[in-house]
Amino acid sequence: MLSTALNVEDVRRLARRRLPRGIFDYIDRGAEDEVGLARLRRGFDDVLFHPRVLVDVSRRDLSTRLFGHEQSLPLVIAPTAAAGLAWHQGEIELARAAAKAGIPFTIAMESITELERIVTESRARLWFQLYMWQARDLSYALIDRAWASGIETLVLTVDTVANPIREYNIRNGYAVPIRASLRGGLDMLTHPRWVVSVLLRYLLDEGMPTYRHYPEGMRASITRSKPTSEVRLTDALGWDDLKELRRRWRGRLILKGVLTTGDAVRAVEAGADGIVVSSHGARNLDSAVPPVRILPAIAEAVRGRATVLADSGVRRGTDVLKLMALGADAVLVGRAPLYGIAVAGEAGASHVLDLLRREMLATLGLLGCTRLDALDSSFVSYERS
């Protein structure tokens, strides 16, 4: 089946067939009227390449150095909360695919597989995502747990301080907590392979999937509300929280969800080692500016002081190279590898990463460029509408 998937969109279509609609839509769709999803694609399409010719590109290199580590691709797998529902133990499968590709994997805070198990079973270079809970002491205990497990990079996600408006989740019965409904039940019955290979395996192994990073006694299954307000995401997150986190966290600290130059500069001044220019894949604020538009200004504002990463809407290797030409040091990919594991677990995610690798190699050659560090803004321009 994977052999017929020649690009990420092909893998996406296969994932759509395999997953219940509620889970697929949760992964695939955006917020409100979903104009943001179209704008993300249009943003990439509006960036044009200016290739060089008569350049020897027989030795092209996609390797890069990120936070002191040499890696074979300029990619990081983004934190995605639905990975464990797309495939049984999907977080481990994704982490193994990342390890095979030589890139980092970011564990989602709302993962249904505990970070300690992912560390032990994947042998990947792992980052950990943090959303700040209302009870700060519980958040600090969680990052201590991550550090004790050997994780040295923390990604604080700051663009989800209110519940995004995603009506399709409610219609599909996939609002958290997941509620039993006729529509949801029929949806599962029409996807028996997923029921048997994912849900039934969880039920037989460990019961209903649970958010494993919540404190003991406060862990809720995916079908129950969080038992206490202490572990609800705070909407009172401020710059002092970032400074306090910097004081407590001994490793690398990355701020994810930055879309203005002022916030980027302030993040660096507060001690962030890196920032992720991100619109959360158009899943939160529907009319947020596409990262591809604001990235050059942010990269210039913090040049030499912080590592700049970018994400949101990446479907092609060309998208990755456009972001890098505009100032990103590396690119996070979220939905694309999720489609892969939904189809074939680790093998599916590896297939997606290989597709992106091949597309990047081909594009780099066609650009007349042999190395990523030679790729700059002179290779791109914006099409004017």
Side-chain angles (χ1 to χ4, degrees), residues 308-324:
V308 177
L309 308 166
D311 72 9
S312 299
V314 172
R315 295 292 178 92
R316 287 278 190 182
T318 49
D319 298 339
V320 175
L321 296 187
K322 286 175 181 180
L323 288 170
M324 298 194 71

Side-chain angles (χ1 to χ4, degrees), residues 323-339:
L323 288 170
M324 298 194 71
L326 292 169
D329 295 302
V331 173
L332 278 70
V333 287
R335 287 184 179 101
L338 268 187
Y339 299 143

Side-chain angles (χ1 to χ4, degrees), residues 191-210:
H191 295 84
R193 285 188 303 167
W194 178 87
V195 172
V196 172
S197 64
V198 179
L199 183 59
L200 186 58
R201 287 185 68 185
Y202 280 126
L203 293 176
L204 292 174
D205 290 348
E206 56 199 49
M208 188 62 69
T210 300

